[in-house]
Amino acid sequence: MRRSLLLLLALPVLASCTSVVAGSPGAGTVLERRGPAGAVPAGLERFYGQQLGWEDCDGYATTGASASLLKNRRNLECARLEVPLDYAEPDGRTIRVGLLRQTATGERIGSLLVNPGGPGGSGMTSAASLATTVRSSPLGERFDLVGFDPRGIGASEPRIRCLTDAERDAERLDVDVDTSPEGIAQTEAENRQYAEKCARTSGEDLLANVGTRDVVRDLDVMRSALGDEKLTYLGYSYGTHIGAEYAQDFPGNVRALVLDGAVDPTQSQVESLIAQGAGFQKSFDAFAAWCARQADCALGSDPAGANRAFRDLTLPLVQRPIPVGDRRLAYNDAITGAIQAMYSEELWTALNSGLTELRGGGGEVLMLLADSYFDRDAEGRYGSVTDAFTAVNCVDKPAVTDRAVLDDLARRYKEAAPFLDDGQPAAAALDVCAFWPVPPTAEAPEPVSGLPPVLVVSTTGDPATPYDAGVSLARELGGGLLTFEGNQHTVYLQGNGCVDTAGHEYLISLTLPAEGTRCS
């Protein structure tokens, strides 16, 4: 969400024919060719039928956090899939997409491909974190679990990179809350510089081809190369947008889609952001009510005063960041840490501890929460999530450049999420996308026909993708809706027996839960 919050087997078949995998296989690499399978677009045969080289996953880690998930995991194997950089020029430059797989333990249906959202999230680390849960479930018996890092992200090559680690640390200290004409001009100059850095370090040709349009095409190549005639897919958050666009572009290639934490395809950018602000406020209100029942609530015992209490704790950081080791906690990171905690009730205790610590002049807990949000490891290395988030959004959506619309958005956002009100006049700068070096590539959504039943999971207290977005997506795709009553962002495969049973049944047997099913 970044500044938008203010403006997250079968046995291998050894093939003798030539592989399109770059380089020679190293020791321990198992070559496998399962494709082509199902429909193959003309001119892309070599990609759809390519050989994959599966190997140990240790070398695919990009940060300390991903290394801890991938190192010495004997049930996991990794590979890279070759795809065209530009599908309009399939004989031109190619790039590689990272894959992680845990093979099925029983009678295999196919592959379950997973994306955790973002945009910018690593499907490889997400699948690695889900692997033990899935392996001990009916899904693990019937499906290979496959996580992928979308093009430009994580272990995929090349990777989107705009700022160095040191520059990212410095950027987090730059508060940019001044909405005077001078403050707006300064912020816009910084946004222009950021866009220029992205173009220099990542290359305009890569930036022009990292949108959802191209990720969806890569997903269809994966489907075939993994040997599946039809796609079985699990998408969380932004991953639901990938799934919905795949359904639009390849409806005949869909077997099953579980879309959890839906992005509403019918909402404008402005309305989506306002709805998200209201969603975070709803989650903050729930946190404040919970906190008030604790003996040591940092916001006091009256939830009605929680917005003001939160602002009183965080706003002084605008002028006076506080030391945290050799770093400093600034206002942006305190807000980001709080936002991170809104994603799950399990983080509410940590948020209360962080706010209590802040009241005493400390900032370690809030910094840790913010580091988690930005994918910064203990050694100060960042993953690609923040730069990728910007790059994908800037080609997925046309920039909002009407200043009257931006100022109205700032005003409405403050009204929707008063706990985030920074006290400045309601005005907004042009964001990075207004200066992006390449044009948007997304196409307008169209009605989907010929799609088998899909399952949308939506949570009543989801802060980032509010419940109504799931209702809308289920209606647009003609799918089933499973409602979870709770306060968190996404829920499937996270330990709720009711949701997990319904999702397993759908993915394995293609049976949707009864209309109106609710879990809690």
Side-chain angles (χ1 to χ4, degrees), residues 224-267:
S224 173
L226 291 167
D228 294 345
E229 292 190 4
K230 304 283 185 179
L231 176 72
T232 303
Y233 173 80
L234 167 61
Y236 297 103
S237 196
Y238 159 78
T240 69
H241 179 53
I242 295 175
E245 189 154 327
Y246 186 93
Q248 177 176 298
D249 293 355
F250 301 100
N253 294 357
V254 172
R255 176 186 174 274
L257 305 176
V258 173
L259 307 177
D260 184 357
V263 175
D264 189 340
T266 67
Q267 280 186 324

Side-chain angles (χ1 to χ4, degrees), residues 145 168 183 208 511:
L145 176 69
R168 176 65 61 197
T511 302

Side-chain angles (χ1 to χ4, degrees), residues 280 283-288 290-291 296-299 310 313-314 333-359 365-367 369-370 419:
F280 278 108
S283 290
F284 179 80
D285 291 343
F287 162 73
W290 168 87
C291 188
D296 59 347
C297 179
L299 301 178
F310 179 81
L313 284 171
T314 56
D333 278 341
I335 295 300
T336 300
I339 291 298
Q340 173 73 355
M342 295 297 101
Y343 279 75
S344 172
E345 289 185 24
E346 294 180 357
L347 294 175
W348 286 2
T349 298
L351 176 57
N352 186 41
S353 296
L355 294 174
T356 299
E357 185 184 41
L358 180 60
R359 189 172 56 190
V365 174
L366 288 176
M367 184 71 87
L369 286 167
F419 85 106

